[in-house]
Amino acid sequence: MSERRAYLYKGIGETVGVVTLDGRPERLVAQWDGDDPLDAEGVRGVARVRKIERAFNSAFVALPGGADLLLALKPDMPKLVEGQVVEVEIRSPSRRDKSAVARYVGPAEGEPRVLAHAPTIDELLRLWVKSGSPTQGLAALEAVEAAEAEALATVFALPGGGDVSIETTRALVAIDVDLGAREGDSKKAARAANMAAFTTAARILRLKGLAGLVVFDLVGRGHDGPALTTAARNAFAIDNPGVGIGPISKFGALEMIVPRRTKPILDRLLDESGGLSARAGALRLVRAFEREGRADPGGKLAGRCSQAVAEAFSALDAALADRIGRRFTLAVVADWPNDRLEVSSS
């Protein structure tokens, strides 16, 4: 039987939650200081209709102080007009270059206002793992850093051999299954690899926060469609309601829809160029200063990083000094990327 465990790390400038499945990271959610509290799944409120886009069967609505939300217009909804207020709930938060999506709850009166905030990370962890309080402290930090490392990876080994490559485009998530050095009868090996790929990919998509249109490029030929479809349905069962699975095409591709509910964690960890974001680098730097400070309680700490990370770190400097004392210095190395960090003690 599978075992899930929850970890909650409360650091300087960040609160991060991790769920592991049989010891491997399955979910990674983060809240950073300064996040928009209205850009999260579960926020409910009275929003004003800002603009109607009849050609696209959609409207843009806004909660007070929040960014525009995309609201799909459906046949069973009353006709909306610009300026009126409606009750909505955020179904999926914003992604890079894409607005958050809301669902229509019903008509409303009065001024725009927030009726319910999103669940906290602690509440989400207790929802996903119903086995007591999340683990905190050093074990939680280790779980966070392991989860971040795996979330940044692209290729993932399959039990028994082979691997899956998971990459995103603007339109979809592409998952390529590779047989690798898996031994045995080729047809049986391909079937086993495809079965394992569904389980591994389902975990990794939850970890990365990826959803929408997902396409598996299965390995081998002459697929057992019913068996593989059942395996995919079982692997993604926890993501219901909303999972849809199509038939396997003659080219060996299986398409499915997975509902979007969380912000992709890579939107936080990576910048638009695909490198580590300056904010993520600054948070890693804070963790490194704290770790070195615990190892050498009386030592002076020296750090080195890129210019962008140093600028992001300046917002965390005072809180770090309050926690470990003003015993650290930071030097900028001009040609370093954001993921190159060094902290030493003397």
Side-chain angles (χ1 to χ4, degrees):
M1 181 178 292
S2 296
E3 179 187 39
R4 285 185 169 86
R5 293 187 177 181
Y7 299 85
L8 179 64
Y9 173 67
K10 296 181 178 180
I12 292 174
E14 62 177 342
T15 299
V16 189
V18 171
V19 173
T20 60
L21 174 61
D22 297 330
R24 302 299 301 274
E26 181 190 35
R27 296 186 190 270
L28 174 60
V29 289
Q31 180 181 355
W32 290 354
D33 289 359
D35 280 355
D36 180 359
L38 301 183
D39 186 16
E41 183 197 12
V43 173
R44 185 167 53 85
V46 174
R48 190 172 302 281
V49 178
R50 196 184 63 78
K51 188 177 182 181
I52 302 289
E53 295 283 1
R54 297 290 180 192
F56 302 102
N57 290 319
S58 62
F60 287 101
V61 302
L63 293 167
D68 283 353
L69 309 172
L70 182 65
L71 177 68
L73 302 179
K74 299 182 178 180
D76 59 347
M77 289 171 50
K79 185 176 180 179
L80 303 184
V81 297
E82 294 179 3
Q84 78 175 97
V85 293
V86 292
E87 184 175 340
V88 299
E89 182 179 43
I90 294 182
R91 188 179 66 187
S92 61
S94 67
R95 294 175 287 144
R96 187 169 289 160
D97 299 328
K98 292 186 181 292
S99 300
V101 176
R103 72 175 184 89
Y104 177 78
V105 176
E109 296 180 351
E111 291 300 310
R113 59 196 182 277
V114 176
L115 301 176
H117 288 279
T120 65
I121 289 181
D122 192 355
E123 290 169 339
L124 286 174
L125 294 176
R126 293 173 188 270
L127 176 65
W128 293 328
V129 183
K130 302 175 178 64
S131 59
S133 300
T135 299
Q136 299 190 44
L138 183 58
L141 175 56
E142 292 173 349
V144 167
E145 293 184 332
E148 287 182 353
E150 189 151 4
L152 290 169
T154 301
V155 179
F156 305 88
L158 297 176
D163 57 53
V164 290
S165 172
I166 301 178
E167 299 181 273
T168 60
T169 71
R170 287 181 63 88
L172 53 83
V173 180
I175 301 176
D176 179 56
V177 186
D178 190 275
L179 195 60
R182 187 182 285 266
E183 299 179 351
D185 175 79
S186 60
K187 189 168 185 177
K188 291 182 178 179
R191 175 188 171 98
N194 289 327
M195 293 284 194
F198 291 129
T199 301
T200 297
R203 176 180 67 83
I204 296 300
L205 292 187
R206 288 191 285 270
L207 174 66
K208 290 175 175 281
L210 298 177
L213 177 60
V214 178
V215 180
F216 282 84
D217 181 10
L218 302 174
V219 68
R221 299 180 179 179
H223 302 291
D224 183 345
L228 291 177
T229 300
T230 297
R233 186 177 295 112
N234 290 339
F236 286 88
I238 195 172
D239 300 300
N240 276 312
V243 175
I245 301 175
I248 298 175
S249 76
K250 64 179 181 179
F251 303 111
L254 181 145
E255 296 182 6
M256 62 187 303
I257 289 291
V258 180
R260 300 185 188 278
R261 295 196 174 94
T262 61
K263 185 187 293 287
I265 195 65
L266 296 188
D267 281 5
R268 290 185 181 274
L269 298 181
L270 302 180
D271 58 24
E272 293 184 355
S273 70
L276 190 73
S277 71
R279 182 72 179 276
L283 292 170
R284 286 187 179 183
L285 186 61
V286 168
R287 298 175 194 168
F289 271 126
E290 287 195 272
R291 186 183 292 109
E292 195 67 31
R294 284 193 297 268
D296 186 1
K300 294 183 178 180
L301 309 177
R304 298 201 298 167
C305 66
S306 70
Q307 179 67 46
V309 169
E311 291 173 359
F313 177 83
S314 64
L316 308 169
D317 179 278
L320 179 62
D322 287 343
R323 182 168 296 186
I324 68 172
R326 179 59 70 180
R327 57 190 180 103
F328 57 88
T329 59
L330 184 61
V332 170
V333 183
D335 59 346
W336 276 17
N338 291 345
D339 62 352
R340 185 171 179 182
L341 309 167
E342 286 185 6
V343 172
S344 60
S345 63
S346 61

